[in-house]
Amino acid sequence: MSEAAILAASSLSVNLGNRGVLSDISLTLSSKHLVALVGPNGAGKTTLLRALAGLLPSEGTIEVCGDPLTSLALQERARRFAYLPQGHQVHWPLPVKDIVALGRYPHGAVDPARLTAKDAAAVMRAMQATDVVALSDRRVTELSGGERSRVALARVLAVEAPVLLADEPTASLDPRYQIEVMTNLRTAADNGTLVIVVTHDLGLAARFADTVLVLSDGCLASQGPPADALSEKIVADVFRVRTYRADYERETIIVPWAEA
Amino acid sequence: MVMPDIADRRRTTVVIALCAGVAVLSLVSLGVGPVKLSPLAVLDALFGGGSEVQRIIVQEIRLPRAILGLAIGGILGLSGAALQGLLRNPLASPSLFGAPQSAAFGAVLVIATGLADVRSYALPGAAVVAAFASVFVLLMVAGRNAGLLLLILAGLAISSLAGAATSLAMNLSSNPFAALEIAFWLLGSLEDRSFQHVMLAMPFIVVGAAILLSQRHAFRALSLGEETAQSLGVNVGRLRLLVILGVALGVGGAVAVAGAIGFIGLVAPHLMRPLIGYDPSRLLVPSALTGAALLLAADIAVRIIPSTSDIKVGVLTSIIGVPFFLYLIVRERRALGGGVA
């Protein structure tokens, strides 16, 4: 990683109740990277994502764009982290364009009917990138799962934050939409964003990520380029599976194959 | 540059129509009673014309009643819309959560213990404190992401408790006439209210409304859930406290002068959703106007409906509101069945 670190955590620990969910996580991540965060169920992936965004109280230090997270006001944090939670929950049947416009909320655009030209342009870019322009007046509750995931993605892209955190954005999507979502995130990373995506799909992680973080029982088991971080030994230790590996078009293919 | 928005124009039309409706109802409210006055005579008397009797009837007897109807209906509609927005739940409302009942208990306690005169600010003050405590406890008991069922069960428990506590205060009251008076006052009425009552309630209602309206845009962000709203820069904990405070101020002020008037907060946002859409931020002002129109209309109705003794407006709103609540339960049945959080 030659570029300057945009997000750094050192000795990050999170305790929920009496249970230590994360302990002593240190990492340094740069912009223009797509980082896949993988690990078995309950390893603490979502907790790590929330802690990085400052949505959970944590110990240790987090720095984003050179500033300690604790020194930033809520709105400034919201401008630096775009956060896409699991499930794409929307409680009211709002029109798609209003949902996407919520991505500009951190920038002071609180009313989707009165966006400035700058905010409207950001919303339009996000909707074009995810191909939801045609859906803009539809109610989000009327959409299919795939369409909803694109709208949710448009909302986080519209923030145009330096760091984008996405929690299992490909869960319960068909293969085409999974690839579409990952391609969109890849494009965002290529355009300068640090994208951290939680996924259970080791294949997608290996295919699209520059860096893989493997979380096991609240600790970082490995981090690095996919082929190294997801080595045969680590996957066997952490996930208890053997993998099938191959190279195709100079990319590493990793497919979980059998129980270890 | 402003993005043109057709839906925005339609919403503006609805708000203008509602304002017109509220204005007409206010005029009718000033004209209806033992002495019937035409809207023209009302306007005349309002601005110092007409006979002296007409001026006294309109300016001193009916104007406070109309102002209170407007303000209390408005704050109840606004509180309902704000609670529904905060909890992302179409069945949320002050009366289902026991806020008016608790406010009534606070006020009754002050009256029954003789701590303060009925016309002092201690009365709305106590009502506000009790309303705040009830909504706060309800949200604590139900938890952060409570489903419909939990909220309604907790609301039922709190309003029953407040009702029981009020009964106890009346039970222990040494003066049987005071108890009777409290019982009638609890039914909710705008009859025989003076400008003293207006002055008593208004500061609380106005501050409560200002607090709720100042937070309006946060409700839209909250549509995506509390965690996402937080990630968008909404301080959800502070928002929750402010909404509880705003609702308590409004409902407490209203109950202190008019008793418990229920279900307007539940009904008003529902009437507006087909016209305005589901955006919780945009529902606040139209719901307030609808609430004002509903209470003014109900208060006109109790004066027109022929009966041997006078019907209390709070009784009328409940008689209409409870069947509406049942209808909502039928409509939300699926969510309720699966909504055990």
Side-chain angles (χ1 to χ4, degrees), chain B residues 124-161:
Chain B
V128 167
V129 170
F132 183 88
S134 75
V135 185
F136 189 82
V137 168
L138 179 121
L139 294 190
M140 287 291 116
V141 169
R144 291 185 60 139
N145 289 306
L148 286 172
L149 217 53
L150 264 176
L151 285 169
I152 288 170
L153 285 176
L156 180 70
I158 285 171
S159 51
S160 304
L161 181 65

Short mmCIF file of all heavy atoms in Angstrom, two decimals, chain B residues 124-161:
data_model
loop_
_atom_site.label_atom_id
_atom_site.label_comp_id
_atom_site.label_asym_id
_atom_site.label_seq_id
_atom_site.Cartn_x
_atom_site.Cartn_y
_atom_site.Cartn_z
N PRO B 124 -50.83 22.66 34.21
CA PRO B 124 -50.20 22.13 32.99
C PRO B 124 -48.80 21.62 33.26
O PRO B 124 -48.36 20.65 32.63
CB PRO B 124 -50.20 23.32 32.03
CG PRO B 124 -50.46 24.52 32.86
CD PRO B 124 -51.22 24.07 34.06
N GLY B 125 -48.10 22.24 34.21
CA GLY B 125 -46.74 21.79 34.54
C GLY B 125 -46.75 20.34 34.98
O GLY B 125 -45.98 19.51 34.49
N ALA B 126 -47.66 20.02 35.90
CA ALA B 126 -47.75 18.64 36.40
C ALA B 126 -48.18 17.70 35.28
O ALA B 126 -47.68 16.57 35.16
CB ALA B 126 -48.75 18.57 37.55
N ALA B 127 -49.10 18.17 34.43
CA ALA B 127 -49.56 17.34 33.31
C ALA B 127 -48.41 17.02 32.36
O ALA B 127 -48.25 15.89 31.90
CB ALA B 127 -50.70 18.05 32.58
N VAL B 128 -47.58 18.03 32.10
CA VAL B 128 -46.44 17.84 31.20
C VAL B 128 -45.45 16.83 31.79
O VAL B 128 -44.99 15.90 31.10
CB VAL B 128 -45.74 19.18 30.90
CG1 VAL B 128 -44.38 18.95 30.24
CG2 VAL B 128 -46.61 20.07 30.03
N VAL B 129 -45.16 16.99 33.07
CA VAL B 129 -44.20 16.07 33.71
C VAL B 129 -44.73 14.63 33.65
O VAL B 129 -44.00 13.70 33.30
CB VAL B 129 -43.94 16.50 35.18
CG1 VAL B 129 -43.16 15.42 35.92
CG2 VAL B 129 -43.18 17.82 35.21
N ALA B 130 -46.02 14.46 33.95
CA ALA B 130 -46.58 13.11 33.95
C ALA B 130 -46.61 12.53 32.53
O ALA B 130 -46.30 11.35 32.33
CB ALA B 130 -47.99 13.13 34.53
N ALA B 131 -46.93 13.36 31.54
CA ALA B 131 -46.95 12.88 30.15
C ALA B 131 -45.54 12.48 29.71
O ALA B 131 -45.34 11.44 29.07
CB ALA B 131 -47.51 13.95 29.22
N PHE B 132 -44.55 13.30 30.09
CA PHE B 132 -43.17 12.99 29.73
C PHE B 132 -42.76 11.65 30.35
O PHE B 132 -42.21 10.77 29.67
CB PHE B 132 -42.23 14.09 30.22
CG PHE B 132 -40.79 13.89 29.82
CD1 PHE B 132 -40.33 14.35 28.61
CD2 PHE B 132 -39.92 13.21 30.65
CE1 PHE B 132 -39.03 14.15 28.22
CE2 PHE B 132 -38.60 13.00 30.27
CZ PHE B 132 -38.16 13.48 29.05
N ALA B 133 -43.07 11.50 31.64
CA ALA B 133 -42.70 10.26 32.33
C ALA B 133 -43.35 9.06 31.64
O ALA B 133 -42.71 8.03 31.43
CB ALA B 133 -43.12 10.34 33.79
N SER B 134 -44.61 9.19 31.25
CA SER B 134 -45.31 8.03 30.67
C SER B 134 -44.70 7.62 29.33
O SER B 134 -44.45 6.45 29.09
CB SER B 134 -46.80 8.33 30.52
OG SER B 134 -47.04 9.19 29.44
N VAL B 135 -44.44 8.59 28.45
CA VAL B 135 -43.89 8.23 27.14
C VAL B 135 -42.46 7.71 27.30
O VAL B 135 -42.05 6.76 26.63
CB VAL B 135 -43.94 9.40 26.15
CG1 VAL B 135 -43.47 8.97 24.78
CG2 VAL B 135 -45.35 9.96 26.05
N PHE B 136 -41.72 8.34 28.21
CA PHE B 136 -40.34 7.91 28.44
C PHE B 136 -40.32 6.46 28.94
O PHE B 136 -39.59 5.61 28.40
CB PHE B 136 -39.69 8.84 29.47
CG PHE B 136 -38.22 8.62 29.63
CD1 PHE B 136 -37.33 9.19 28.73
CD2 PHE B 136 -37.71 7.84 30.65
CE1 PHE B 136 -35.97 8.98 28.86
CE2 PHE B 136 -36.35 7.63 30.80
CZ PHE B 136 -35.48 8.21 29.89
N VAL B 137 -41.15 6.17 29.93
CA VAL B 137 -41.19 4.81 30.49
C VAL B 137 -41.65 3.83 29.40
O VAL B 137 -41.10 2.74 29.25
CB VAL B 137 -42.14 4.75 31.71
CG1 VAL B 137 -42.42 3.31 32.10
CG2 VAL B 137 -41.52 5.50 32.87
N LEU B 138 -42.64 4.24 28.61
CA LEU B 138 -43.13 3.36 27.56
C LEU B 138 -42.01 2.96 26.60
O LEU B 138 -41.83 1.79 26.27
CB LEU B 138 -44.25 4.05 26.78
CG LEU B 138 -44.80 3.20 25.64
CD1 LEU B 138 -46.27 2.96 25.82
CD2 LEU B 138 -44.53 3.80 24.29
N LEU B 139 -41.22 3.95 26.17
CA LEU B 139 -40.16 3.64 25.22
C LEU B 139 -39.04 2.84 25.87
O LEU B 139 -38.39 2.03 25.23
CB LEU B 139 -39.61 4.92 24.58
CG LEU B 139 -40.62 5.66 23.70
CD1 LEU B 139 -39.94 6.77 22.92
CD2 LEU B 139 -41.33 4.72 22.74
N MET B 140 -38.84 3.04 27.17
CA MET B 140 -37.86 2.23 27.89
C MET B 140 -38.32 0.78 27.96
O MET B 140 -37.56 -0.15 27.69
CB MET B 140 -37.68 2.76 29.33
CG MET B 140 -36.92 4.06 29.44
SD MET B 140 -35.20 3.81 29.03
CE MET B 140 -35.06 4.81 27.59
N VAL B 141 -39.59 0.60 28.34
CA VAL B 141 -40.13 -0.75 28.51
C VAL B 141 -40.15 -1.48 27.17
O VAL B 141 -39.76 -2.64 27.06
CB VAL B 141 -41.55 -0.69 29.11
CG1 VAL B 141 -42.23 -2.05 29.04
CG2 VAL B 141 -41.48 -0.22 30.56
N ALA B 142 -40.62 -0.78 26.13
CA ALA B 142 -40.79 -1.45 24.84
C ALA B 142 -39.46 -1.70 24.14
O ALA B 142 -39.36 -2.60 23.32
CB ALA B 142 -41.72 -0.62 23.95
N GLY B 143 -38.44 -0.91 24.44
CA GLY B 143 -37.13 -1.13 23.84
C GLY B 143 -36.98 -0.36 22.54
O GLY B 143 -37.94 0.22 22.02
N ARG B 144 -35.77 -0.36 22.02
CA ARG B 144 -35.42 0.54 20.91
C ARG B 144 -36.13 0.23 19.61
O ARG B 144 -36.65 1.10 18.94
CB ARG B 144 -33.91 0.50 20.68
CG ARG B 144 -33.14 1.12 21.79
CD ARG B 144 -31.69 1.14 21.44
NE ARG B 144 -31.49 1.93 20.22
CZ ARG B 144 -30.49 2.76 20.06
NH1 ARG B 144 -29.61 2.89 20.98
NH2 ARG B 144 -30.35 3.44 18.95
N ASN B 145 -36.13 -1.03 19.22
CA ASN B 145 -36.74 -1.36 17.93
C ASN B 145 -38.02 -2.15 18.13
O ASN B 145 -38.26 -3.17 17.50
CB ASN B 145 -35.75 -2.13 17.06
CG ASN B 145 -34.63 -1.25 16.58
OD1 ASN B 145 -34.87 -0.20 15.99
ND2 ASN B 145 -33.41 -1.65 16.86
N ALA B 146 -38.85 -1.64 19.05
CA ALA B 146 -40.04 -2.38 19.44
C ALA B 146 -41.01 -2.54 18.28
O ALA B 146 -41.19 -1.65 17.47
CB ALA B 146 -40.72 -1.66 20.58
N GLY B 147 -41.62 -3.71 18.20
CA GLY B 147 -42.66 -3.94 17.21
C GLY B 147 -43.98 -3.38 17.71
O GLY B 147 -44.10 -2.92 18.84
N LEU B 148 -44.98 -3.45 16.83
CA LEU B 148 -46.31 -2.93 17.15
C LEU B 148 -46.86 -3.48 18.46
O LEU B 148 -47.35 -2.77 19.32
CB LEU B 148 -47.28 -3.32 16.04
CG LEU B 148 -47.19 -2.59 14.73
CD1 LEU B 148 -48.08 -3.24 13.71
CD2 LEU B 148 -47.60 -1.16 14.94
N LEU B 149 -46.75 -4.81 18.57
CA LEU B 149 -47.39 -5.49 19.67
C LEU B 149 -46.85 -5.01 21.02
O LEU B 149 -47.61 -4.69 21.93
CB LEU B 149 -47.15 -7.00 19.52
CG LEU B 149 -48.30 -7.89 19.92
CD1 LEU B 149 -49.57 -7.48 19.20
CD2 LEU B 149 -47.98 -9.33 19.58
N LEU B 150 -45.52 -4.93 21.10
CA LEU B 150 -44.89 -4.49 22.34
C LEU B 150 -45.31 -3.09 22.72
O LEU B 150 -45.64 -2.81 23.87
CB LEU B 150 -43.37 -4.52 22.17
CG LEU B 150 -42.66 -5.76 22.67
CD1 LEU B 150 -41.20 -5.68 22.35
CD2 LEU B 150 -42.86 -5.85 24.17
N LEU B 151 -45.31 -2.20 21.72
CA LEU B 151 -45.66 -0.80 21.99
C LEU B 151 -47.09 -0.70 22.50
O LEU B 151 -47.38 0.03 23.44
CB LEU B 151 -45.51 0.02 20.71
CG LEU B 151 -44.08 0.35 20.31
CD1 LEU B 151 -44.05 0.92 18.91
CD2 LEU B 151 -43.47 1.33 21.29
N ILE B 152 -47.98 -1.45 21.86
CA ILE B 152 -49.39 -1.32 22.22
C ILE B 152 -49.65 -1.96 23.59
O ILE B 152 -50.40 -1.42 24.40
CB ILE B 152 -50.27 -1.92 21.11
CG1 ILE B 152 -50.23 -0.97 19.92
CG2 ILE B 152 -51.69 -2.12 21.57
CD1 ILE B 152 -50.84 -1.49 18.68
N LEU B 153 -48.98 -3.07 23.85
CA LEU B 153 -49.13 -3.69 25.17
C LEU B 153 -48.60 -2.77 26.26
O LEU B 153 -49.25 -2.55 27.29
CB LEU B 153 -48.40 -5.03 25.22
CG LEU B 153 -49.09 -6.18 24.49
CD1 LEU B 153 -48.23 -7.42 24.51
CD2 LEU B 153 -50.45 -6.46 25.11
N ALA B 154 -47.43 -2.19 26.01
CA ALA B 154 -46.86 -1.29 27.01
C ALA B 154 -47.76 -0.06 27.18
O ALA B 154 -47.96 0.42 28.30
CB ALA B 154 -45.45 -0.87 26.59
N GLY B 155 -48.30 0.43 26.07
CA GLY B 155 -49.20 1.59 26.13
C GLY B 155 -50.44 1.27 26.93
O GLY B 155 -50.90 2.08 27.75
N LEU B 156 -50.97 0.07 26.71
CA LEU B 156 -52.17 -0.37 27.45
C LEU B 156 -51.87 -0.40 28.95
O LEU B 156 -52.65 0.09 29.76
CB LEU B 156 -52.58 -1.76 26.97
CG LEU B 156 -53.81 -2.36 27.62
CD1 LEU B 156 -55.04 -1.60 27.18
CD2 LEU B 156 -53.95 -3.84 27.25
N ALA B 157 -50.70 -0.96 29.29
CA ALA B 157 -50.33 -1.06 30.70
C ALA B 157 -50.22 0.33 31.31
O ALA B 157 -50.73 0.59 32.41
CB ALA B 157 -49.01 -1.81 30.84
N ILE B 158 -49.58 1.24 30.58
CA ILE B 158 -49.35 2.57 31.15
C ILE B 158 -50.65 3.35 31.26
O ILE B 158 -50.91 4.02 32.27
CB ILE B 158 -48.29 3.33 30.33
CG1 ILE B 158 -46.92 2.74 30.68
CG2 ILE B 158 -48.31 4.82 30.62
CD1 ILE B 158 -45.81 3.20 29.83
N SER B 159 -51.53 3.26 30.23
CA SER B 159 -52.77 4.02 30.36
C SER B 159 -53.66 3.41 31.45
O SER B 159 -54.37 4.14 32.14
CB SER B 159 -53.51 4.14 29.02
OG SER B 159 -53.65 2.90 28.42
N SER B 160 -53.61 2.08 31.63
CA SER B 160 -54.39 1.48 32.72
C SER B 160 -53.87 1.95 34.07
O SER B 160 -54.65 2.28 34.97
CB SER B 160 -54.29 -0.05 32.67
OG SER B 160 -54.70 -0.52 31.43
N LEU B 161 -52.55 1.99 34.18
CA LEU B 161 -51.96 2.43 35.44
C LEU B 161 -52.33 3.88 35.74
O LEU B 161 -52.74 4.22 36.86
CB LEU B 161 -50.43 2.28 35.37
CG LEU B 161 -49.68 2.69 36.64
CD1 LEU B 161 -50.03 1.76 37.77
CD2 LEU B 161 -48.17 2.68 36.39
#
